Amino acid sequence: MALLFQCIDIKKDFGMQTVLKQVTFDIEEGGRFGLVGKNGAGKTTLADIIYGSVKPDEGSIIWHKKDVRIGYLRQSAFYTSETLGGLLGDWSVKKQYSSLISTADGLAFDMTDRLEDRRIDALSGGERTKLALARVWADEPDLLILDEPTNHLDYKGVRWLIDELARFPGTILIISHDRYFLDKTVQCILEIDDGRIQEYRGNYSYYRAEKRKRYEDMIHAYEVQKRYKEKLAQEIRQLREWSAKAHRDSTKKGRSSGLKMGLKEYHRVKAKKLDKRVKSKIKQLEKLNTEGMKKPVAEAGVKFSFEYGEKKGRRIIEAINISKSFGSRILFSDSSFYVLRGERVGIFGENGCGKTTLVKALIGQETVEGGLFVSPNAEIGYMSQDVHDFSDNNQTALDLFDMGDRREQGRIRTMLANMRFTADLLSKPVRDLSLGEQTKLKLASFIYRQCDVLILDEPTNHLDLHAWEQLEDALLQYDGTILLVTHDRYMLEQVCDKLLVFEAGKIKRIEGSPASYLKNYTNGTVDSVDNVDKKSRNKNNDPAKDVDKLERIKAEELMILENQIITVLGRLSLAKPDTEEYEKLDAEFKALMARKQELS
């Protein structure tokens, strides 16, 4: 396959911090590449360098094709215009975008209003992502660079994007923390680790398995070297003992023989040979200590530990016939529901239905018609979809906390260290931190304040994959009230025990396990995959359509099952054998595989 471009020894510093050290890799034409790494590793910086908006301090990019058109979807898009019409400009361009964002399955805007009159600041996070994707697509690029493209997208949007990328004829470089999305779209993983690139020729699941195998191989090689060094040290001790004895014998034998030179010289030569062997072994050991293999470092974890202060009052939220509209566009109307203390409630609906608007109403940033009660005693921690309120902040991470006495300072520093904030990160201005680091900083503020209500609007958007899993575990252990908006269905099913669903212009409370509702929602029917609605089947005399419907429903459930299997496998690989957690995950994996086999 012909090369599109090469990165050779790319280096980039920001002040005293070296982000990229010696980044070297090749990108082939038509290839599908995933770029992964922990928060702050330099993924977006490398994408900016490839795009040309940032210059490397050292190294170069060699292009093997002229006039390459690059379509770059940034992690967060900003728009200077107030309306879509002002953004899109002349009618021909407007028509092109209108076609993309109003007819594409999974990217459709609500067309009840005239498209060009829609205000950009009134769009949901998902709609802004769709708009940005449409702008990138309309330029017909040769190279697509997508930085967290699934952020804010609902399930239909993610499915549409996977299908479109499969049909895209050019080259793709994707930065993403979405495990399922990477498995379905890329053929090679490029991991930034300690400022350098490690390459894995396969999808995300292959990368995780191969990385674990490489780590285990390195640990084995290190243990072999360690045992060899111990053997060398033992040989040195033995040779020194023999050398000392040979020196003593040369003197003792020389005296007993009347200082005959031949016998004395024999023992002296023997002692010198032993001394020479000692020096040789010492040099070997010193070389291994200085140039030998260092102990491989395991992947650093992230520790979230939410504390919960018990407070009085059972009712946290109550809505009575609430409604919200923007102009002639009605988001929801005549909706009533409640949330009790300690409940874990998922907020579910398609992009643009009003999920974020509801969340903002709960924290007082939006108004609604009707009655909306939020307990005044509730200490609420709110995580928005974006963290742009840090963009102009000159303070350091520590400046955001009331440090108090030394004991309090120690508690704060320990908390931040558990979330992988190094001394360098703590001294940087908050605005210079990556979006993932800013997200973790917000979560740290909730932990510090001991919030008893967490309202999280897409909290995993900018976190790396290890932080996703750690956050999920922390939420499962948290005893307070949770309202969670997320496009990650696995997290929604694992964390939540209730749902607030946006359906047919209303907000409805769904009792019981979210898994059954989400399964029926995906299937497009209230019945299971094996029991397609008999009434609709009787009304439709075309049996071919019934078969197509059943196959489509099964395909959608298989897609969800594969996502769940990938997630469980990832967690299973990190669990220790012969533990309760391992047995539970193993049983879950077997059940998922059995269901997949049944559907297949």
Side-chain angles (χ1 to χ4, degrees), residues 383-449:
M383 169 69 72
S384 63
Q385 288 190 26
D386 298 305
V387 287
H388 297 314
D389 47 337
F390 283 155
S391 59
D392 297 322
N393 199 319
N394 293 317
Q395 293 179 300
T396 66
L398 292 175
D399 292 334
L400 300 178
F401 298 89
D402 182 12
M403 297 297 284
D405 56 23
R406 287 196 175 190
R407 185 175 180 181
E408 190 66 16
Q409 291 179 26
R411 176 177 170 241
I412 293 169
R413 287 182 179 274
T414 300
M415 174 186 66
L416 294 173
N418 286 337
M419 299 174 74
R420 289 207 311 235
F421 279 93
T422 62
D424 290 342
L425 290 177
L426 293 179
S427 62
K428 288 175 64 175
V430 173
R431 68 169 188 272
D432 293 338
L433 298 176
S434 71
L435 291 176
E437 289 159 352
Q438 292 179 16
T439 298
K440 287 193 289 185
L441 198 55
K442 278 205 166 185
L443 290 169
S445 71
F446 300 160
I447 296 171
Y448 178 71
R449 288 163 46 199

Side-chain angles (χ1 to χ4, degrees), residues 12 116 288 336 358 533 592:
K12 184 63 183 178
E116 59 266 27
L288 284 174
S336 300
L358 174 63
D533 189 349
L592 290 170

Side-chain angles (χ1 to χ4, degrees), residues 43-49 51-53 70-75 132 136 139 141 143-147 175:
K43 301 185 294 292
T44 299
T45 298
L46 181 57
D48 289 338
I49 290 173
Y51 183 64
S53 57
I70 302 176
Y72 187 10
L73 176 72
R74 297 181 182 276
Q75 196 171 151
V136 170
D139 290 334
L143 168 65
L144 269 180
I145 302 176
L146 306 179
D147 195 350
I175 301 172

Side-chain angles (χ1 to χ4, degrees), residues 12 66 122 124 190 194 230 241 258 267 307 313 343 402 424 489 521 587:
K12 184 63 183 178
K66 293 183 178 179
S124 70
L190 302 171
D194 191 28
E230 290 171 353
E241 290 177 6
H267 286 288
E307 297 181 23
E343 289 185 329
D402 182 12
D424 290 342
R489 291 199 175 193
Y521 171 84

Side-chain angles (χ1 to χ4, degrees), residues 351-368:
N351 287 140
C353 66
K355 299 188 296 293
T356 298
T357 300
L358 174 63
V359 166
K360 289 184 176 180
L362 294 175
I363 62 173
Q365 293 183 4
E366 281 283 358
T367 59
V368 295

Side-chain angles (χ1 to χ4, degrees), residues 133-336:
L133 282 167
R135 294 176 69 190
V136 170
W137 239 256
D139 290 334
E140 299 180 350
D142 303 303
L143 168 65
L144 269 180
I145 302 176
L146 306 179
D147 195 350
E148 298 296 353
T150 60
N151 278 1
H152 313 302
L153 286 184
D154 57 21
Y155 180 72
K156 290 182 179 179
V158 173
R159 186 175 56 189
W160 174 89
L161 185 55
I162 290 171
D163 291 341
E164 286 300 309
L165 291 177
R167 288 191 287 267
F168 180 71
T171 307
I172 302 170
L173 179 65
I174 299 172
I175 301 172
S176 179
H177 296 137
D178 190 321
R179 298 160 285 191
Y180 176 75
F181 179 70
L182 285 173
D183 265 340
K184 291 295 182 182
T185 54
V186 306
Q187 303 158 337
C188 178
I189 295 290
L190 302 171
E191 181 190 34
I192 301 182
D193 186 15
D194 191 28
R196 294 177 173 84
I197 285 285
Q198 298 290 331
E199 186 176 289
Y200 299 81
R201 288 284 168 173
N203 63 7
Y204 180 80
S205 293
Y206 170 83
Y207 148 71
R208 291 301 298 169
E210 179 65 15
K211 182 171 183 180
R212 185 175 183 83
K213 179 179 179 297
R214 290 185 190 182
Y215 174 74
E216 290 171 351
D217 290 345
M218 290 170 67
I219 284 290
H220 176 70
Y222 173 78
E223 291 297 331
V224 170
Q225 177 185 269
K226 182 180 177 182
R227 289 194 293 271
Y228 180 64
K229 286 166 66 175
E230 290 171 353
K231 180 183 177 184
L232 276 177
Q234 185 178 359
E235 289 177 354
I236 290 169
R237 287 193 296 270
Q238 184 68 63
L239 287 170
R240 279 175 170 168
E241 290 177 6
W242 290 346
S243 174
K245 184 176 183 302
H247 280 291
R248 289 194 302 271
D249 286 349
S250 68
T251 303
K252 184 178 178 181
K253 296 291 183 181
R255 288 175 180 171
S256 63
S257 63
L259 298 177
K260 290 181 180 179
M261 292 301 295
L263 187 59
K264 181 177 181 180
E265 190 63 29
Y266 166 78
H267 286 288
R268 188 174 292 171
V269 169
K270 181 179 178 182
K272 286 182 178 180
K273 286 182 178 178
L274 288 170
D275 288 342
K276 189 174 181 180
R277 289 179 63 188
V278 168
K279 289 180 180 178
S280 174
K281 296 289 185 182
I282 289 174
K283 284 183 179 180
Q284 289 182 50
L285 186 58
E286 288 176 345
K287 187 172 183 179
L288 284 174
N289 286 331
T290 56
E291 301 177 15
M293 184 179 183
K294 306 300 179 185
K295 185 175 182 179
V297 179
E299 287 182 319
V302 181
K303 185 179 178 182
F304 298 104
S305 181
F306 289 103
E307 297 181 23
Y308 170 57
E310 186 66 39
K311 297 188 178 181
K312 296 180 180 180
R314 180 71 173 143
R315 186 179 53 162
I316 291 290
I317 296 167
E318 185 172 1
I320 303 175
N321 297 328
I322 63 170
S323 302
K324 183 64 179 179
S325 61
F326 291 99
S328 61
R329 183 174 179 237
I330 300 174
L331 290 180
F332 51 83
S333 63
D334 298 326
S335 299
S336 300

